[in-house]
Amino acid sequence: MTYCVAITVDAGLVFASDSRTNAGVDQLSTYSKMFCFEEPGERVLVLLTAGNLATSQAVVMQLKRDMKQGKLPNLSSVEHLSEAAEYVGEISLAQQQKHVNAAAGSGLDTSASFVLGGQIGKARPKVFMIYPEGNFISATGETPYQQIGEIKYGKPILDRIIRPETTLEEAALCALVSMDSTMRSNATVGPPIEVLLYEAGSLRLERQFSFGADHPYLLSLKSDWEQALKQAFSTLQHFDWHSPLQN
Amino acid sequence: MTYCVAITVDAGLVFASDSRTNAGVDQLSTYSKMFCFEEPGERVLVLLTAGNLATSQAVVMQLKRDMKQGKLPNLSSVEHLSEAAEYVGEISLAQQQKHVNAAAGSGLDTSASFVLGGQIGKARPKVFMIYPEGNFISATGETPYQQIGEIKYGKPILDRIIRPETTLEEAALCALVSMDSTMRSNATVGPPIEVLLYEAGSLRLERQFSFGADHPYLLSLKSDWEQALKQAFSTLQHFDWHSPLQN
């Protein structure tokens, strides 16, 4: 599985993704799930992928090929981010359909989902989540993040921390904590963890980071968060569990 | 959906369950998912249910009927908790199979899963998780809890807090926090929250509690935990996100 999250705050966007791919417990590999498309000063797009690796790789390859060959639409030609989301959705659906007949009855799931975020020109930065069926939804002020893959373990901390006024740096830290909670409870999500901070209006992707399994910051965050959580838990007031049959 | 958890510590067992049942967003109801069977001084059994409500109610009814009519095996007759788990699994499978043909193709899922825990005589307290297929697994020292239903949101805190030496009261608090995280992130899990603390060797169920949505302790725990989590998050050391392209 996979865990990817994109966070929208007033200051910009934060993207985070794990890199573990598994097709059964004896086929664990590492693949980046974060793809960046940048025309500095003009447009930036970041794509996160989850689901069938063959499908998501085929989609990314076609996105690059369409741009190179100038086939329209492509990520350089679209005028709005929502057009880009629609285009990615169409490509994804087409790639999945290529294998539908071969996969029928085999139990193979060729579906993939995507998070696409970025900024084009002077429009506001946006994030879309693209379903396997090709349709998509956008993150809003009330729902300031989009997740794909193993989304549940890391959702509670996002729900509690992320607000429109959260800084980019806090949002990036929260994404890492959300990722850490997911890795702690689910073996199919693993490092390297890629994190990208995009400052609204900059139209440049300059702050991209990769944390390997033994990155000192990732290790210390893991143990610091464990300690901080235990400390937080220890401050909670206990209920009087001794009164029998109390309601 | 549902969220139920049973925790095994050296001091005994803790059970917690929510009470929301939904069959679509306009059919929300409240049903207890915790069922207690007690012969004081001889045996105690606690059953938590998740999945299809018709199936789980039919199972509970048959468990009671078998005991009343003295049909063997029943929860009073079994000599080991694992026999009880096998018996519950068999009843569950039989109930599901009654409706398999009617449900075929309708998209209706008649499956149910169960957590069964307790103590019989001088044997150690145990907890089993019973799959819809009727087979079951037990909680152990390395895996000191069993969950059914919406299990992912509330798993990280259990993974971090529960150890064999955790007290019953701490385990009960942790179960409530795990429940709170689940309710915060998933609308299909809701109060009243039932919690039962069982002291190993007591062979009595005396500490059972129900927290309604407006129970002052549940409300204060909710806000205290939110505050404590935010405080914990604020203590984390930030990464230097400003160095461009750092790895």
Side-chain angles (χ1 to χ4, degrees):
Chain A
M1 277 293 279
T2 289
Y3 177 45
C4 298
V5 57
I7 301 172
T8 315
V9 291
D10 293 343
L13 308 174
V14 168
F15 300 86
S17 56
D18 87 307
S19 302
R20 184 160 294 171
T21 299
N22 72 313
V25 288
D26 53 359
Q27 199 173 345
L28 293 173
S29 314
T30 294
Y31 286 96
S32 171
K33 298 162 191 173
M34 184 183 289
F35 302 91
C36 301
F37 303 90
E38 182 186 19
E39 293 178 11
E42 210 270 304
R43 69 179 60 204
V44 296
L45 294 100
V46 178
L47 185 72
L48 309 177
T49 69
N52 186 284
L53 183 64
T55 299
S56 58
Q57 286 194 346
V59 169
V60 171
M61 278 190 288
Q62 187 174 343
L63 292 176
K64 290 180 179 169
R65 204 166 47 231
D66 286 357
M67 255 196 298
K68 204 170 161 188
Q69 300 178 345
K71 196 177 155 196
L72 296 180
N74 66 57
L75 292 183
S76 295
S77 77
V78 292
E79 289 181 28
H80 304 285
L81 212 58
S82 60
E83 281 177 64
E86 191 163 351
Y87 159 62
V88 170
E90 282 165 11
I91 292 181
S92 166
L93 199 57
Q95 288 296 343
Q96 292 172 57
Q97 281 172 342
K98 279 187 190 176
H99 307 285
V100 154
N101 290 336
S106 72
L108 174 68
D109 180 4
T110 60
S111 72
S113 47
F114 300 86
V115 164
L116 178 71
Q119 186 169 23
I120 296 181
K122 291 191 195 310
R124 282 175 61 85
K126 280 219 155 192
V127 171
F128 292 94
M129 200 266 273
I130 304 162
Y131 293 101
E133 293 76 13
N135 51 348
F136 54 90
I137 56 173
S138 73
T140 62
E142 290 74 43
T143 309
Y145 59 85
Q146 296 285 3
Q147 303 167 291
I148 49 177
E150 277 289 354
I151 67 175
K152 296 186 179 183
Y153 307 101
K155 186 170 183 290
I157 191 70
L158 295 170
D159 283 334
R160 288 185 157 106
I161 299 295
I162 302 299
R163 300 286 173 268
E165 61 274 21
T166 305
T167 67
L168 270 189
E169 292 72 22
E170 278 173 324
L173 180 56
C174 187
L176 274 183
V177 169
S178 174
M179 189 62 79
D180 178 62
S181 298
T182 309
M183 290 194 286
R184 177 77 175 76
S185 289
N186 188 302
T188 71
V189 174
I193 305 306
E194 297 185 280
V195 181
L196 190 150
L197 289 73
Y198 172 68
E199 207 172 315
S202 70
L203 295 171
R204 271 176 179 76
L205 298 179
E206 293 175 324
R207 294 163 73 186
Q208 193 178 355
F209 306 85
S210 177
F211 297 90
D214 53 357
H215 191 292
Y217 181 76
L218 202 62
L219 292 176
S220 75
L221 181 67
K222 185 185 159 100
S223 86
D224 289 355
W225 180 237
E226 176 124 4
Q227 281 312 309
L229 265 187
K230 286 181 179 168
Q231 168 65 23
F233 184 78
S234 74
T235 66
L236 293 175
Q237 207 192 324
H238 274 261
F239 184 68
D240 177 13
W241 298 108
H242 292 279
S243 342
L245 295 171
Q246 178 177 337
N247 277 290
Chain B
M1 277 295 278
T2 289
Y3 177 44
C4 297
V5 57
I7 300 172
T8 315
V9 291
D10 293 342
L13 307 175
V14 168
F15 301 86
S17 56
D18 87 308
S19 302
R20 185 160 295 172
T21 299
N22 72 313
V25 289
D26 53 0
Q27 197 173 346
L28 294 173
S29 315
T30 294
Y31 285 97
S32 171
K33 298 163 189 172
M34 184 184 290
F35 302 91
C36 301
F37 304 90
E38 181 186 20
E39 292 179 10
E42 210 270 304
R43 69 179 61 203
V44 296
L45 292 101
V46 178
L47 185 72
L48 309 177
T49 69
N52 186 284
L53 183 64
T55 299
S56 58
Q57 286 194 347
V59 168
V60 171
M61 278 189 286
Q62 188 174 342
L63 291 175
K64 290 179 178 169
R65 204 164 49 230
D66 286 357
M67 255 196 299
K68 205 171 162 190
Q69 301 178 344
K71 195 177 154 198
L72 297 179
N74 66 55
L75 292 182
S76 296
S77 77
V78 292
E79 290 181 26
H80 305 285
L81 213 60
S82 60
E83 281 177 66
E86 191 164 350
Y87 159 62
V88 170
E90 282 165 10
I91 292 180
S92 166
L93 199 58
Q95 289 295 344
Q96 292 173 57
Q97 282 172 342
K98 279 187 190 175
H99 307 285
V100 154
N101 290 336
S106 72
L108 174 67
D109 181 4
T110 60
S111 73
S113 48
F114 300 86
V115 163
L116 178 71
Q119 185 168 25
I120 297 180
K122 291 189 195 308
R124 284 176 59 86
K126 280 217 157 193
V127 171
F128 293 94
M129 200 267 271
I130 304 162
Y131 292 102
E133 292 76 13
N135 52 348
F136 55 90
I137 56 173
S138 73
T140 62
E142 290 75 42
T143 308
Y145 60 85
Q146 296 285 3
Q147 303 167 290
I148 49 177
E150 277 289 354
I151 68 175
K152 296 185 180 184
Y153 307 101
K155 187 171 184 287
I157 190 70
L158 295 170
D159 284 333
R160 288 186 157 107
I161 299 294
I162 303 298
R163 300 287 173 268
E165 61 273 19
T166 304
T167 67
L168 270 189
E169 291 73 22
E170 278 173 324
L173 180 57
C174 187
L176 274 184
V177 170
S178 174
M179 189 63 78
D180 178 63
S181 298
T182 308
M183 290 193 288
R184 177 78 175 75
S185 290
N186 187 302
T188 71
V189 174
I193 305 305
E194 297 185 280
V195 181
L196 189 151
L197 289 73
Y198 172 68
E199 207 173 314
S202 71
L203 294 171
R204 270 174 180 76
L205 298 179
E206 292 175 324
R207 294 163 73 185
Q208 194 179 353
F209 307 85
S210 177
F211 298 90
D214 53 358
H215 191 292
Y217 181 75
L218 202 62
L219 292 176
S220 75
L221 182 67
K222 186 184 157 99
S223 86
D224 289 355
W225 181 238
E226 175 124 3
Q227 281 312 310
L229 265 187
K230 285 181 179 168
Q231 167 64 22
F233 184 79
S234 74
T235 66
L236 292 176
Q237 208 192 321
H238 275 259
F239 185 68
D240 177 12
W241 297 109
H242 291 279
S243 342
L245 295 172
Q246 179 175 338
N247 278 285

